[in-house]
Amino acid sequence: MNSAGRPRKPFGLGTYVLMLLGVGLVGGVVGAARALLGDQPGQLGLALTVAAMTFGMAVGFAACIWWWRGIDEAAREAHKWAWWWGGSGGMAVGAILLVSLTAVGGDAVAAPAGLTAPELIVGGMWTILLFQLAGYGIAWAVWWLKHR
């Protein structure tokens, strides 16, 4: 409720589309800054990359807070339930897959595939994230189907 005691009107689709376009624009600017400035030699490149990524993440986080405050209680519950069950389940499935593929008979499979340690770490991070998001999407849909 707002200060006048009336329920606040939820944001419309146009508002969310504008927010997504704005956040996408910021992401594009951050990506361009990283591409242009991040290859500077030494600590300067690292500092510029950290600064650009921090700015982009701060904008994204602020957009998430704004969005969360604009949804109703049912939508909040759906997202919390989906992230807990779907994200956790997806992370478990992804971890099982990664461990199964990388520890076959005690030998690491990555060396014959020609992957470096940083490539393996990034690949593992992306795998877990994608499984979490897939699980979240499935759980979110299940929650709404159960509560319609």
Side-chain angles (χ1 to χ4, degrees):
M1 288 204 177
N2 60 20
S3 60
R6 295 183 310 247
R8 189 171 48 141
K9 181 180 174 191
F11 298 129
L13 180 62
T15 304
Y16 289 117
V17 170
L18 285 175
M19 184 207 49
L20 289 174
L21 289 173
V23 170
L25 178 66
V26 169
V29 169
V30 168
R34 166 61 182 101
L36 294 172
L37 304 173
D39 291 333
Q40 300 295 322
Q43 298 298 318
L44 179 61
L46 177 62
L48 291 172
T49 298
V50 168
M53 300 281 290
T54 301
F55 172 74
M57 288 293 185
V59 169
F61 193 68
C64 287
I65 291 170
W66 172 81
W67 170 80
W68 186 259
R69 290 179 177 168
I71 62 176
D72 63 8
E73 189 63 29
R76 288 181 185 186
E77 286 304 312
H79 287 292
K80 289 188 283 186
W81 190 88
W83 187 245
W84 174 257
W85 293 107
S88 299
M91 182 173 50
V93 171
I96 291 167
L97 176 69
L98 285 175
V99 170
S100 298
L101 291 176
T102 58
V104 178
D107 295 329
V109 181
L115 298 174
T116 65
E119 290 170 334
L120 284 173
I121 292 169
V122 170
M125 290 168 55
W126 275 108
T127 301
I128 295 297
L129 177 64
L130 294 175
F131 271 92
Q132 283 183 309
L133 290 174
Y136 167 84
I138 292 167
W140 184 84
V142 166
W143 191 93
W144 280 110
L145 289 172
K146 285 174 48 177
H147 293 86
R148 346 184 280 132

